Amino acid sequence: MESWLTTMPDGPLLVYGPNSLAYDFGPNHPLSPRRFGPGIELLRAVGAEPGLAPEPAADAELEWLHAADYIATVRRFSRDPGGGPTAGIGPGDDPAFAGMHEAAASVAGGSIRAIEAILRGDIEHAYHPGGGLHHAMRARASGFCIYNDVALAIARARCDGLRVLYVDLDVHHGDGVQTLHYDDPGVLTVSFHESGRSLFPGSGFVDELGEGSAAGTSINMPLEALCGPEPWLAAVRAIVSTLAAAFGPDIVVSQHGADGHFWDPLAHLSLTTTAMGEAARLIDGVAHRYAGGRWLATGGGGYAIYRVVPRAWALTWLAGAHRDAPERLPDDWRARWAGDAARWDEAPAGEAPAGEAPLPDGFDDPPDFPSGRSLSLAAAVRAKETVSLVRTVLVPALLSVAEDRGWWQPDGEGPEIVTRAAPPAEAPPAATYPTVVASLTADMIEELSLSPRVVAPADPRVAWELLRAALRDGAVAAGAVSGEWLVGVALAAPGAAAAPASIDGVDRLLALGVAPEWRRGGLATAMLRALVDEQDRRGRSLVALHTVAERDVFDPLPRAVRRGVAVSLARASGMTVTPAPPRIAAVDAAACLAVHVPSSASPDLRSRAGDWHDSL
Ligand SMILES: [Zn+2]
């Protein structure tokens, strides 16, 4: 593959060209190419010049994810839009139009060529504002989307064997991308959206976890209408960096639909451009810290195409350019588009008289926007509960407790690597059969290197730092040691999901893992037994919550097998296995709880282990 770039762009490679305008469902459709006028002009005003013009992807590329007969159907409509409705194409969201195959294939081609430029190393970041058509399914158009350009870009990275983190910030659930990669453990999809109970496409609930060995790689954060920018941004902050640390992506792909905005006519989350820009900067940071800087950003929905979409696009590009937005929108840009904005952008009911929706002054919205009385306090409370549930079920216990306890911060600066751990991809040479060390101390860790894939996070250098901080803070651990390598760890510390401050006398199992080359030899049972014995000596209980998050992220076993292993390990180590609390079982049916209470325990301590169960 040859590079076609003559100059390096001063910021993300901007993907846009004449074919972008061809994706046009007609004059009364909300997803109008009119958005490119004010959008591209504002991008130019902040320094972005189009550097890659989308051209149609080949059928062979579309067929990575789309059915050949579906592509044939789209081609037929493309030549003759008059046929009867089929495959999601027809009157409604996805009307047929002449040239629709070429137009939709060009959107896909734009995202595929952009990710190839990143994979070649020509550029770090690319931004494709016309992309992000995240609803398209294998054999069906849906929600203004014909071919799924983002899912295809992900598939392109998968052709190279790369691990992909996908973050979807559109107000609608990223159902197509989720579905098309639902059984692939190498793709982690994370979608923030208005709940499917009130909005299209009606999916995106927390219990959509991924399939088979990919269980745990589909993350959904449904938010209630009118939740507003703060709970939304708090949700993004609470999970994206942590999940990236756990998963270890090689590249980040994101979808930045602007339809979550307060002024958007189609949805009700009541977000701001300020929050959207902040989220884009967070994703840029995640790409740099966890994915070697490789980041493809796309647009998506957004139907207030003068007052919101151009500002959201500019802020997304600026995040990748590592520059702040200017204080004000350019006067000539505002003068150029004020009339069109008044004509086309509908003001939300009661907010401004029809035909009088002035363009805002700044890229960011004012701090008091939208006003508190247009937001729902109940939705904000619900958002917090959902964040807590998602973290409990989908974030490895070690990482969520490490954050709560201050052992590690996923979005802080990279760790000062003083490590004795192996580089992420490198396994230590097989040496002598490991010895189980019943009580691992912080001092012992200093002398040992940590093997890859023993505990979360994905990078063993970060895991080593985290383990050391945990042991220095009083966590207890058993280990398996081969030569100077730490090849297995069982770690426990006070701390429950919803009550991190701890329940007296009860410790939580935070991690139990063995390096791949030493698995199936009884080491995990031996370490867990040692930990249980240690708890007996200390007169403390041990509880463990097994969820879909606890897996080898690089080569996960099928969900049912993982659960079977967890249950037999717990039983073989003298723990009692019980069903998970209903709140958790409702989203992760295979979740279970294991408890060990010391035989010497007072009735009071016995009941406190129960408190821990209730606190989840
Ligand atoms: Zn960057």
Side-chain angles (χ1 to χ4, degrees):
M1 235 183 325
E2 248 173 68
S3 173
W4 34 258
L5 284 178
T6 47
T7 54
M8 291 301 278
D10 181 24
L13 172 67
L14 178 58
V15 182
Y16 170 74
N19 286 339
S20 305
L21 299 168
Y23 196 82
D24 186 357
F25 290 108
N28 297 317
H29 196 281
L31 188 69
S32 166
R34 280 188 290 105
R35 64 200 173 126
F36 290 108
I40 296 297
E41 209 168 285
L42 191 60
L43 280 163
R44 285 199 158 111
V46 298
E49 275 304 317
L52 169 59
E55 294 293 335
D59 281 16
E61 292 172 318
L62 299 174
E63 283 172 22
W64 290 334
L65 297 176
H66 291 291
D69 57 353
Y70 172 62
I71 298 168
T73 301
V74 177
R75 280 186 181 280
R76 202 172 63 237
F77 277 118
S78 199
R79 285 189 304 268
D80 172 19
T86 182
I89 302 170
D93 281 358
D94 304 279
F97 62 93
M100 74 186 298
H101 168 79
E102 289 72 19
S106 290
V107 179
S111 290
I112 294 169
R113 298 291 92 80
I115 207 162
E116 286 177 340
I118 296 168
L119 298 179
R120 278 197 304 270
D122 289 352
I123 45 165
E124 277 197 315
H125 308 335
Y127 177 46
H128 183 198
L133 303 181
H134 60 164
H135 296 306
M137 295 290 178
R138 184 176 141 73
R140 180 165 56 87
S142 174
F144 316 161
C145 307
I146 308 296
Y147 298 132
N148 200 317
D149 66 293
V150 254
L152 287 163
I154 293 168
R156 177 63 189 82
R158 295 296 291 145
C159 292
D160 287 5
L162 299 184
R163 299 166 61 74
V164 184
L165 167 64
Y166 173 70
V167 183
D168 192 311
L169 301 175
D170 196 278
V171 79
H172 301 92
H173 175 224
D175 59 340
V177 182
Q178 173 180 301
T179 302
L180 291 166
H181 295 288
Y182 206 55
D183 60 357
D184 182 353
V187 179
L188 184 74
T189 62
V190 188
S191 181
F192 301 83
H193 46 265
E194 181 174 332
S195 167
R197 292 195 295 122
S198 57
L199 195 68
F200 178 89
S203 55
F205 297 98
V206 180
D207 64 353
E208 296 161 30
L209 301 171
E211 210 162 69
S213 66
T217 63
S218 165
I219 285 92
N220 285 291
M221 188 73 81
L223 300 161
E224 305 291 324
L226 307 182
C227 96
E230 275 159 37
W232 179 83
L233 194 54
V236 174
R237 287 206 175 104
I239 64 165
V240 174
S241 310
T242 310
L243 287 168
F247 182 72
D250 298 302
I251 186 164
V252 177
V253 175
S254 57
Q255 201 270 21
H256 299 258
D259 42 5
H261 195 274
F262 181 66
W263 280 333
D264 195 274
L266 296 196
H268 329 91
L269 276 192
S270 296
L271 308 184
T272 56
T273 54
T274 317
M276 294 173 186
E278 196 61 45
R281 285 191 289 277
L282 181 137
I283 293 173
D284 174 67
V286 164
H288 286 285
R289 185 164 178 191
Y290 295 107
R294 289 177 287 272
W295 177 29
L296 168 64
T298 68
Y303 310 99
I305 67 179
Y306 300 92
R307 293 199 295 166
V308 175
V309 170
R311 295 187 298 144
W313 285 7
L315 287 168
T316 304
W317 186 85
L318 283 164
H322 313 139
R323 279 167 37 206
D324 290 332
E327 197 122 315
R328 287 173 48 81
L329 290 163
D331 287 338
D332 48 354
W333 182 88
R334 295 180 76 242
R336 165 67 184 86
W337 299 105
D340 294 54
R343 181 156 4 116
W344 293 100
D345 269 3
E346 275 177 59
E351 201 229 336
E356 285 178 40
L359 284 170
D361 296 330
F363 289 81
D364 285 342
D365 288 312
D368 56 348
F369 176 90
S371 79
R373 66 174 191 281
S374 51
L375 301 176
S376 157
L377 194 58
V381 171
R382 272 296 277 146
K384 265 196 175 160
E385 291 167 0
T386 306
V387 166
S388 152
L389 181 62
V390 168
R391 281 181 65 91
T392 303
V393 174
L394 288 148
V395 172
L398 178 57
L399 294 193
S400 61
V401 172
E403 274 182 271
D404 293 341
R405 299 283 299 264
W407 299 334
W408 167 78
Q409 288 306 324
D411 50 3
E413 289 301 301
E416 193 65 36
I417 310 277
V418 289
T419 175
R420 298 177 51 88
E426 194 180 294
T432 49
Y433 193 80
T435 314
V436 170
V437 178
S439 184
L440 197 66
T441 64
D443 286 347
M444 291 166 74
I445 284 259
E446 300 284 350
E447 303 304 317
L448 295 168
S449 301
L450 179 64
S451 275
R453 293 167 58 185
V454 175
V455 294
D459 185 339
R461 294 168 302 181
V462 183
W464 185 88
E465 302 284 343
L466 196 161
L467 279 180
R468 187 176 60 164
L471 290 170
R472 282 183 178 167
D473 194 39
V476 292
V481 176
S482 165
E484 58 178 27
W485 290 95
L486 183 60
V487 299
V489 174
L491 181 84
S502 89
I503 291 169
D504 243 7
V506 181
D507 293 325
R508 178 174 182 187
L509 182 69
L510 299 181
L512 175 60
V514 175
E517 60 273 31
W518 299 114
R519 285 178 196 162
R520 294 186 178 80
L523 286 173
T525 310
M527 289 188 298
L528 187 54
R529 242 185 226 147
L531 205 56
V532 166
D533 289 348
E534 176 69 14
Q535 291 296 96
D536 269 342
R537 264 193 299 282
R538 303 186 330 147
R540 298 175 65 85
S541 296
L542 183 67
V543 291
L545 175 67
H546 175 76
T547 71
V548 76
E550 309 301 339
R551 65 185 190 277
D552 178 343
V553 291
F554 291 97
D555 189 14
L557 295 166
R559 179 71 181 106
V561 179
R562 279 183 238 159
R563 182 202 152 94
V565 169
V567 167
S568 43
L569 271 174
R571 288 196 176 131
S573 312
M575 300 182 83
T576 307
V577 179
T578 65
R583 190 174 87 100
I584 291 165
V587 293
D588 181 3
C592 56
L593 199 64
V595 183
H596 175 79
V597 180
S599 44
S600 62
S602 63
D604 184 41
L605 178 57
R606 284 180 192 282
S607 87
R608 282 200 299 265
D611 290 349
W612 192 88
H613 179 285
D614 297 339
S615 76
L616 282 169

